[in-house]
Amino acid sequence: MSRRDVIIVGGGAAGFFAAINIAEKNPSLKVTLLERGKEGLQKVKVSGGGRCNITHAEFIPQELIKNYPRGEKELLGPFHQFMSGDTMEWFEKRGVPLKIEEDGRMFPISDSSQTIIDCFLSEAKKHKVEILYNHALKSIQKDDDWILQTSQGDFTAKKIVIATGSNPKIWNLLQDLSHTIIQPVPSLFTFDIKDERIKNIPGVVAPNIEVRVKETDLQSEGPLLITHVGMSAPAILKLSAFGAIELAKRGYKFEIEINFIKQSYEDCLNELKELKQVLAKKTVSKSAQFDLPKRLWHQLVLASQISDEIRWADLNKNHLEALASQLTKAIFHVDGKSTFKEEFVTAGGVDLKEINFKTFESKLHKHLFFAGEVINVDAVTGGFNFQNAWTGAYIVSQNI
Ligand SMILES: Cc1cc2nc3c(=O)[nH]c(=O)nc-3n(C[C@H](O)[C@H](O)[C@H](O)COP(=O)(O)OP(=O)(O)OC[C@H]3O[C@@H](n4cnc5c(N)ncnc54)[C@H](O)[C@@H]3O)c2cc1C
C-alpha cells in the first residue's frame, strides 16, 4: 500500500486547482492527484467552445451568488474568501492574463483553453504534484487514514479531496460513507420547439425578451436565439438552470410565454394603434418595430393573420390585438431539450447540508474534502461553474 499525505481524486478543474494550491502552500507534503483518464482537464479543454470561459466579471459576492440555482446561500461565505477577482489575480500572477468580454464573461487573452491547461501542468510540475493518470478510484474506506483502492493499486492518505465532478459511481461510494446524494438532473440545456413562427429563421436573435414557464414561478429575461431545433441563449439557459428540477419532473414538456418587447399588452396595443396612423401607407410585414429583427417581426405578423400585402391603415381591431398578443404573450410548446454545446452541467450531488462551507470539509468525516461539481452546486452559463470549482478548491487548499 502506497502512502501519501494528501490525495486529490479527479484531475479536472477543481482537482488541479486544489492540488496546485495545496502543494504550493505546503511544500513538505506529498501531494498526489489520481485521474482515471489517460489525460486530465478534458472539460477545461472543450469549455467555452475551446476558449475556456474561466470566470465572470462580477465582483460583488452578493451579486455573484445569484447565478447559482443550487449553492446560492452556501457560496456567499466562500466567495468572500475567494471569488472572480482572486481568480483573475491567480491566473495573471502565473502568466495567464484574462480579458473581459462585453457580457462579463472572462477568457484567457489567448482565446484558447490550452493556455489554462499548460498553466496547470507547469504549476503542478513546479510544485511537485504527483499526477497518476489511468488511476480510477474504486473504493474508499476509513481506518486511521483513508484507504483508496484504485484500478492500479491501493493508496493511503491522511487527507483526501474528492473532485470527481458529476460521476454517479463516486456518488455511490460517498453514499456508502453515509453522505446524502441529491439525485442528478441535467442543467443548462436549450428548448426543443417545433413551431411555424420560428421554423425558417434559425440564427435570429431577439436582444432582450422576458420568458416564463406557464403554471410555474419560473421566469427569466435576456437575449433569445432561434436555433434549428428551438430556442437558446441566456434567457432560455437561465430558465433551464433555475428550472432544472421542475422541468425534469415535467419530462421537458411544457408551455412558455414570451414577451418579445418587454412591454405590457395594453401599452403595446396603444403603440400599435399610433403606428397605424403614423405608418398608414407602409406594409406591416416589412416595417419591423420595437427593435425586433426583421425576420422575427415578419413571422409574428404572419402569425397574427396579417398577410404580406396588408398595410398599417388596413389593420382592424382583431389584427391589432392579435399582433399585440404575439409581441407580448406568445405561447410556444416546448417538447424536449437539447445539449447546449458551449457549457453544460449537472444539478445534484453531495447534499450541501453535509458540507462545512468554511473549509469544504465533510461534516460527517474529518479529513474528507470536496471541490467542484461533485457537490450539489451548479450555475447558469457565463463562467460561474468554473468559479465554483476554483473557490472550493482554493478553500480546501487553505484548510489542508
Ligand atoms: C462542454 C462543456 C463546456 C463547459 N464550458 C464551461 C465554461 O466555459 N465555463 C464554466 O464555468 N463552466 C463550463 N463548463 C462546466 C465546467 O466544465 C464544470 O463545472 C467543471 O469542469 C467542473 O469541474 P470539476 O473538476 O468539478 O469536474 P470535472 O471537470 O468533470 O473533472 C472531474 C475529473 O474527475 C475524473 N474522475 C471521475 N471519476 C473518477 C474516478 N473514479 N477516479 C479518478 N478520477 C475520476 C474525471 O475523469 C475528470 O477528469 C462546461 C462543461 C462542459 C461539459
Side-chain angles (χ1 to χ4, degrees):
M1 192 122 47
S2 251
R3 199 179 181 292
R4 306 289 192 281
D5 294 312
V6 184
I7 291 183
I8 296 101
V9 188
F16 264 88
F17 206 70
I20 293 164
N21 283 296
I22 293 167
E24 188 180 57
K25 289 187 175 75
N26 311 277
S28 61
L29 293 184
K30 211 169 172 189
V31 178
T32 294
L33 188 148
L34 303 177
E35 165 55 45
R36 72 174 164 184
K38 64 180 194 310
E39 284 175 80
L41 300 166
Q42 289 307 293
K43 278 199 196 168
V44 170
K45 193 168 188 171
V46 296
S47 65
R51 297 200 296 141
C52 188
N53 176 196
I54 200 163
T55 184
H56 201 95
E58 174 52 77
F59 303 110
I60 304 166
Q62 280 80 354
E63 291 301 316
L64 187 59
I65 55 169
K66 289 183 186 158
N67 296 287
Y68 294 82
R70 284 145 293 271
E72 175 170 354
K73 181 164 67 79
E74 292 79 4
L75 287 176
L76 183 61
F79 283 153
H80 276 287
Q81 288 193 55
F82 191 91
M83 62 177 290
S84 335
D86 305 295
T87 303
M88 211 172 159
E89 199 183 318
W90 193 96
F91 282 100
E92 294 199 338
K93 258 192 190 159
R94 287 159 184 83
V96 182
L98 307 182
K99 60 170 175 177
I100 303 175
E101 300 211 327
E102 227 171 77
D103 57 6
R105 293 183 302 160
M106 293 176 73
F107 295 86
I109 280 182
S110 64
D111 269 334
S112 166
S113 55
Q114 192 59 42
T115 315
I116 306 298
I117 296 176
D118 293 345
C119 167
F120 280 165
L121 293 178
S122 95
E123 288 294 312
K125 194 169 172 193
K126 181 168 152 199
H127 298 294
K128 300 193 173 52
V129 175
E130 177 189 34
I131 306 175
L132 299 177
Y133 294 109
N134 299 308
H135 279 66
L137 178 68
K138 299 288 181 196
S139 80
I140 311 174
Q141 283 167 46
K142 180 88 201 271
D143 201 356
D144 285 344
D145 284 345
W146 289 98
I147 304 167
L148 303 182
Q149 190 199 4
T150 79
S151 50
Q152 297 206 51
D154 297 350
F155 295 80
T156 64
K158 193 159 182 52
K159 299 184 182 185
I160 59 172
V161 184
I162 304 296
T164 40
S166 300
N167 181 335
K169 283 191 188 148
I170 302 295
W171 282 329
N172 287 342
L173 298 183
L174 293 170
Q175 248 169 347
D176 293 342
L177 290 172
S178 305
H179 267 293
T180 311
I181 302 301
I182 306 296
Q183 278 315 301
V185 290
S187 184
L188 286 184
F189 47 82
T190 63
F191 293 176
D192 293 353
I193 299 170
K194 285 199 182 77
D195 191 290
E196 276 302 312
R197 288 167 289 182
I198 59 169
K199 197 168 114 190
N200 295 317
I201 57 167
V204 164
V205 175
N208 197 5
I209 64 138
E210 264 168 13
V211 51
R212 58 186 193 89
V213 179
K214 297 278 275 182
E215 294 166 18
T216 71
D217 296 333
L218 295 167
Q219 56 178 29
S220 84
E221 53 186 29
L224 171 83
L225 168 70
I226 311 292
T227 70
H228 288 280
V229 288
M231 293 182 180
S232 180
I236 298 299
L237 294 164
K238 272 189 259 171
L239 265 193
S240 79
F242 281 93
I245 293 163
E246 177 70 38
L247 302 181
K249 275 191 206 149
R250 290 167 185 249
Y252 306 106
K253 290 184 195 306
F254 49 90
E255 280 187 341
I256 53 173
E257 183 181 296
I258 296 185
N259 187 332
F260 286 103
I261 59 172
K262 290 177 93 176
Q263 274 192 25
S264 70
Y265 169 83
E266 289 74 21
D267 287 352
C268 173
L269 189 58
N270 287 336
E271 207 165 324
L272 290 176
K273 283 177 187 164
E274 280 170 30
L275 288 167
K276 181 175 148 77
Q277 309 300 326
V278 181
L279 301 173
K281 288 191 180 145
K282 294 222 153 99
T283 313
V284 181
S285 62
K286 287 193 183 137
S287 42
Q289 298 299 314
F290 303 100
D291 292 329
L292 282 180
K294 282 186 194 137
R295 291 199 293 157
L296 177 60
W297 169 262
H298 185 200
Q299 290 305 319
L300 296 178
V301 167
L302 290 181
S304 311
Q305 311 304 325
I306 301 168
S307 48
D308 270 346
E309 66 289 350
I310 290 188
R311 291 172 314 153
W312 283 89
D314 306 328
L315 292 179
N316 61 30
K317 184 168 171 279
N318 288 348
H319 287 140
L320 289 168
E321 287 175 359
L323 184 53
S325 287
Q326 286 296 334
L327 289 165
T328 61
K329 45 185 180 184
I331 302 289
F332 290 87
H333 297 269
V334 177
D335 185 16
K337 63 173 176 56
S338 293
T339 304
F340 173 54
K341 296 202 178 60
E342 281 221 357
E343 179 174 354
F344 51 92
V345 282
T346 306
V350 179
D351 192 343
L352 304 184
K353 287 202 273 306
E354 297 170 356
I355 299 166
N356 174 355
F357 279 91
K358 292 201 169 82
T359 56
F360 280 71
E361 191 174 17
S362 159
K363 283 185 185 169
L364 312 187
H365 302 279
K366 233 178 139 34
H367 299 160
L368 166 62
F369 295 83
F370 301 108
E373 218 178 291
V374 67
I375 67 174
N376 184 25
V377 167
D378 62 275
V380 301
T381 181
F384 304 102
N385 282 300
F386 277 140
Q387 188 55 53
N388 167 52
W390 316 137
T391 296
Y394 188 83
I395 293 175
V396 165
S397 78
Q398 280 203 310
N399 289 284
I400 283 196

